[in-house]
C-alpha cells in the first residue's frame, strides 16, 4: 500500500507512535488509509453542511475496510465575495486549494482520496489536485440548493442581484427587496441555477470522476448522504483495481464534458476550469475545441439564469445520466470510457430515462441547434472571448454599438445605476483579467444591474474579467489577451464602434490594424492594483484566461 511509506517497518515506529497519539490502533494502521479532503466552513452556504457529508463518506470508507483521515481546505463563496475586493481572491484560491490537497497527499501518502467540495473555485481546485496527484480518488459534492419562493415565483440568488437594479429604477421597493433576500436562498447547497458550482459538479459526472447524481441530488435530500457513503466505499474498489484519475481523465472524457456543458448551457467559467484540469492531467484543451463541440451539440436544457428551470428540476427529469443517454443517441459522446463507478459511461447511463421532456428535451426538439457557450474571436480578442449564448436574447445575438469604456467594475456599476448607459452601448470593462484584476473578478453586479433596469436586451458588455454563471444577457468575458498584458482591449476608446456577431463567433473593433498597433505602441501599463501578498505573487505567475488562467511553468 502507498501508505506503508509512513507506517510500516522498524524505522516507522515513531510514526506509528504519533498515529497512536490520535487514537489509531495497529489494526486500523494495517488497513488502507483514505485522505478525506473536506472543504466545510461556516462562510459558504454550499459548505455549511459538509461536515455531515464528510461523516457519511467516512462511514462508507469504514464499511469497505478503509480508515478515513479527514483534513481541511479553504473555500470562498463567490456570491458573498462579489462586488468588492474579496472577489479578486476567488480565482486565485483555486490554485491554493489544488496545492493544499497536493501538499497533504504528498506529506501523508494516502492510499486513496475522497474530495468533498461544492462551490465556485473549490470544485475545480479539487479536480486539479486529483489529476495532478493521480492516486485513486473520487469527488463528492454537497449538492445544489433548493429554490426559494417569493410572490408566486421561484427564486435563487440571481433574483436578488437583479432586484437591486429594480430598486434603483423604482420597480421594487427597499422593503420588498428585504423580504426577497430573506426567502430567495432557503438553505444549504450550491446556488440553485446552472451557475459555476453546479456546472462543474455536473461536469464531474460527465468526466467520470464522480458518481451519477453528484451534480443534481439536492443538498437536503437524504440521497445526498447515501451517495457520499457510496463514494467512500467506491474509493476502496478503485484502490483494489488500480484505477487512477488519469485512466478516466482522457481527451475523450473532456470531449464528453464539453458536450454535456453545451447541452445544459453551463457557466462560461467552465472554459477556465476544464483547460486547467486537463493541464494537470497532461492534456491540452484550447478554446477552439469548445466552439467545435458547441457547433455540433444541441442545447437541450434551459436552466437558470438563461431559462425557467433549476438544478432540482434537472434532477427530477433524470439528471446528467438521462442527458448523456440522449446525447449518446446522436453519437455526441463517447460511451466506452471508464468511470469511478468501475463501469463504462454506457453502463452508467444505459437505463436512464428522460422523465420530463421539457426540462431535458430530445435531440429532435432542442432549445437551440447549437450549444450553450460560444467562443468569439476578432481583432479585439485575438485569443478569444466567451459568451453564454443560450442566455442572450435573440435580438442581441448580433449587435454593433459605441464603446463606453471603464477601468474597473466599480466604475461601470456606478454608471449603470446612474442610468448613464443608453440603448445600443457596448460597455467595456478592462483591467479585470487574471493579471490585471488581479484575479479576474466575476462581475454579476453590473450584469444583474443591467437586467434589473431592463436593458439586458439593449446593451452589451465586454470585459477581460469574467462573469458569474448566474449572468444572463450579451455579456462577453475572458477577452484575451487581457488589458494588463497589452491586449487590444487596453486601447479601446469611448465611441469606438464594436461589432458582436455571436452566431458568426466574431468580435470586431472597427479600427484598422495600423491604428490599433499605433495605440498599443503609445500604451503604458498602469500600476498593479495589489502590490503585496498572495495576489501580487499570483499576478506575476498567472497565464491568460484563454489557457485556463493556470500558473506559467517557468
Amino acid at each position: 500500500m502507498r501508505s506503508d511509506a509512513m507506517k510500516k517497518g522498524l524505522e516507522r515506529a515513531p510514526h506509528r507512535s504519533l498515529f497512536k497519539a490520535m487514537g489509531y490502533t495497529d489494526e486500523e494502521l494495517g488497513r488502507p488509509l483514505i485522505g478525506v479532503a473536506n472543504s466545510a466552513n461556516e462562510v459558504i452556504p454550499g459548505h455549511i453542511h459538509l461536515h455531515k457529508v464528510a461523516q457519511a463518506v467516512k462511514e462508507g470508507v469504514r464499511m469497505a475496510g478503509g480508515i478515513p483521515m479527514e483534513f481541511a481546505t479553504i473555500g470562498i463563496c463567490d456570491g458573498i465575495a462579489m462586488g468588492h475586493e474579496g472577489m479578486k481572491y476567488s480565482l486565485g484560491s483555486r490554485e491554493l486549494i489544488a496545492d493544499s490537497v497536493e501538499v497533504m497527499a504528498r506529506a501523508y501518502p494516502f492510499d486513496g482520496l475522497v474530495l468533498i467540495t461544492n462551490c465556485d473555485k473549490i470544485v475545480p481546485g479539487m479536480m486539479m489536485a486529483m489529476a495532478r496527484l493521480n492516486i485513486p480518488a473520487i469527488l463528492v459534492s454537497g449538492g445544489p440548493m433548493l429554490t426559494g419562493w417569493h410572490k408566486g415565483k421561484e427564486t435563487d440568488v440571481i433574483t436578488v442581484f437583479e432586484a437591486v437594479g429594480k430598486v434603483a429604477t423604482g420597480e421594487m421597493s427597499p422593503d420588498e427587496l428585504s423580504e426577497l433576500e430573506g426567502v430567495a436562498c432557503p438553505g444549504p447547497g450550491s446556488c440553485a441555477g446552472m451557475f459555476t458550482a453546479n456546472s462543474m459538479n455536473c461536469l464531474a459526472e460527465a468526466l467520470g470522476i464522480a458518481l451519477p447524481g453528484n451534480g443534481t441530488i439536492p443538498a437536503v435530500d437524504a440521497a445526498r448522504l447515501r451517495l457520499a457513503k457510496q463514494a467512500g466505499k467506491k474509493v476502496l474498489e478503485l484502490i483494489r483495481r488500480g484505477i487512477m484519475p488519469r485512466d478516466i481523465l482522457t481527451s475523450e472524457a473532456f470531449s464528453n464534458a464539453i458536450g454535456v456543458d453545451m447541452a445544459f448551457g453551463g457557466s462560461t467559467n467552465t472554459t477556465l476550469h476544464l483547460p486547467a484540469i486537463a493541464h494537470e492531467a497532461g492534456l491540452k484543451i484550447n478554446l477552439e475545441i469548445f466552439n467545435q463541440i458547441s457547433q455540433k451539440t444541441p442545447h437541450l436544457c434551459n436552466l437558470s439564469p438563461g431559462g425557467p428551470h433549476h438544478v432540482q428540476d434537472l434532477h427530477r427529469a433524470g439528471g446528467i445520466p438521462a442527458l448523456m443517454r440522449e446525447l449518446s443517441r446522436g453519437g455526441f459522446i463517447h460511451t466506452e470510457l471508464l468511470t469511478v463507478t468501475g463501469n463504462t459511461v454506457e453502463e452508467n447511463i444505459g437505463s436512464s430515462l428522460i422523465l420530463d421532456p421539457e426540462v431535458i428535451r430530445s435531440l429532435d426538439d432542442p432549445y437551440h441547434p447549437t450549444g450553450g457557450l460560444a467562443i468569439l474571436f476578432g481583432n479585439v480578442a485575438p485569443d478569444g472571448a466567451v459568451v453564454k449564448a443560450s442566455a442572450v436574447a435573440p435580438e442581441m445575438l448580433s449587435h454593433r454599438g459605441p464603446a463606453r469604456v471603464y477601468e474597473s467594475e466599480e466604475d461601470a456599476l456606478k454608471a449603470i445605476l446612474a442610468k448613464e448607459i443608453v440603448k445600443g452601448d457596448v460597455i467595456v470593462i478592462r483591467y479585470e483579467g487574471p493579471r490585471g484584476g488581479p484575479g479576474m473578478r466575476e462581475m454579476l453586479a453590473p450584469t444583474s444591474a443591467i437586467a434589473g433596469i431592463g436593458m439586458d436586451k439593449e446593451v452589451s458588455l465586454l470585459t477581460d474579467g469574467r462573469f458569474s454563471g448566474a449572468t444572463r444577457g450579451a455579456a462577453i468575458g475572458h477577452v484575451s489577451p487581457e488589458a494588463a498584458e497589452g491586449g487590444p482591449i487596453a486601447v479601446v476608446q469611448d465611441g469606438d464602434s464594436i461589432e458582436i456577431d455571436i452566431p458568426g463567433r466574431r468580435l470586431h473593433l472597427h479600427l484598422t490594424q495600423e491604428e490599433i498597433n499605433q495605440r498599443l505602441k503609445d500604451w503604458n501599463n498602469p500600476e498593479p492594483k495589489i502590490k503585496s501578498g498572495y495576489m501580487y505573487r499570483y499576478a506575476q505567475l498567472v497565464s491568460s484566461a484563454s489557457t485556463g488562467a493556470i500558473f506559467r511553468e517557468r
Side-chain angles (χ1 to χ4, degrees), residues 267-288:
S267 165
T268 53
N269 287 315
T270 61
T271 65
L272 280 176
H273 301 320
L274 289 176
I277 297 160
H279 173 76
E280 298 292 352
L283 304 170
K284 184 175 182 179
I285 294 177
N286 58 45
L287 290 181
E288 189 55 48

Side-chain angles (χ1 to χ4, degrees), residues 201-346:
N201 282 325
C202 287
L203 294 187
E205 284 188 57
L207 284 167
I209 57 174
L211 296 177
N214 178 75
T216 60
I217 297 172
V220 296
D221 195 321
R224 174 60 52 186
L225 299 180
R226 296 196 295 270
L227 180 96
K229 290 179 182 178
Q230 291 167 3
K233 292 173 63 177
K234 188 61 68 174
V235 73
L236 274 297
E237 180 183 331
L238 298 176
I239 293 168
R240 287 193 297 270
R241 295 179 57 179
I243 297 174
M244 306 296 179
R246 293 190 191 183
D247 297 329
I248 297 168
L249 292 170
T250 62
S251 296
E252 292 79 10
F254 281 97
S255 176
N256 280 359
I258 296 171
V260 171
D261 192 10
M262 297 306 161
F264 65 48
S267 165
T268 53
N269 287 315
T270 61
T271 65
L272 280 176
H273 301 320
L274 289 176
I277 297 160
H279 173 76
E280 298 292 352
L283 304 170
K284 184 175 182 179
I285 294 177
N286 58 45
L287 290 181
E288 189 55 48
I289 294 171
F290 285 84
N291 261 352
Q292 291 168 5
I293 295 176
S294 177
Q295 287 172 335
K296 68 179 184 180
T297 307
H299 178 219
L300 303 181
C301 303
N302 200 17
L303 302 166
S304 175
H309 303 129
H310 292 82
V311 180
Q312 65 198 40
D313 301 313
L314 177 59
H315 181 65
R316 175 177 50 80
I320 298 303
L323 177 60
M324 291 183 73
R325 188 183 184 197
E326 183 63 15
L327 290 173
S328 73
R329 192 169 68 83
F332 293 113
I333 61 170
H334 303 273
T335 59
E336 75 286 0
L337 306 181
L338 182 66
T339 73
V340 289
T341 65
N343 299 324
T344 64
V345 171
E346 184 172 14

Side-chain angles (χ1 to χ4, degrees), residues 41-279:
N41 62 42
E42 296 181 353
V43 290
I44 307 179
H47 292 235
I48 193 72
H49 65 305
L50 291 190
H51 287 303
K52 192 172 183 180
V53 175
Q55 185 60 39
V57 165
K58 290 188 287 186
E59 289 169 4
V61 169
R62 291 190 181 99
M63 283 191 286
I67 300 301
M69 294 181 171
E70 183 180 346
F71 61 91
T73 71
I74 64 167
I76 292 174
C77 172
D78 280 15
I80 295 173
M82 196 78 64
H84 57 88
E85 187 185 37
M87 182 47 72
K88 292 180 182 289
Y89 290 80
S90 176
L91 183 58
S93 74
R94 186 188 71 179
E95 305 341 277
L96 284 175
I97 291 158
D99 289 352
S100 67
V101 174
E102 177 197 4
V103 166
M104 289 297 288
R106 297 292 188 204
Y108 301 92
F110 299 116
D111 298 297
L113 288 172
V114 181
L115 306 162
I116 304 172
T117 181
N118 214 25
C119 292
D120 300 312
K121 308 309 163 292
I122 304 99
V123 186
M126 295 277 201
M127 294 162 77
M128 289 166 66
M130 181 187 292
R132 184 187 302 174
L133 289 162
N134 202 37
I135 62 176
I138 189 167
L139 188 104
V140 180
S141 86
M145 184 185 293
L146 295 177
T147 53
W149 197 257
H150 184 252
K151 294 191 173 179
K153 294 182 179 179
E154 284 187 299
T155 60
D156 55 33
V157 69
I158 185 63
T159 315
V160 189
F161 272 102
E162 293 183 358
V164 173
K166 292 180 179 179
V167 171
T169 62
E171 186 180 340
M172 179 181 283
S173 72
D175 287 344
E176 286 178 294
L177 176 60
S178 178
E179 181 182 312
L180 173 63
E181 73 181 55
V183 298
C185 301
S190 47
C191 295
M194 192 53 81
F195 313 142
T196 304
N198 290 326
S199 296
M200 292 306 300
N201 282 325
C202 287
L203 294 187
E205 284 188 57
L207 284 167
I209 57 174
L211 296 177
N214 178 75
T216 60
I217 297 172
V220 296
D221 195 321
R224 174 60 52 186
L225 299 180
R226 296 196 295 270
L227 180 96
K229 290 179 182 178
Q230 291 167 3
K233 292 173 63 177
K234 188 61 68 174
V235 73
L236 274 297
E237 180 183 331
L238 298 176
I239 293 168
R240 287 193 297 270
R241 295 179 57 179
I243 297 174
M244 306 296 179
R246 293 190 191 183
D247 297 329
I248 297 168
L249 292 170
T250 62
S251 296
E252 292 79 10
F254 281 97
S255 176
N256 280 359
I258 296 171
V260 171
D261 192 10
M262 297 306 161
F264 65 48
S267 165
T268 53
N269 287 315
T270 61
T271 65
L272 280 176
H273 301 320
L274 289 176
I277 297 160
H279 173 76

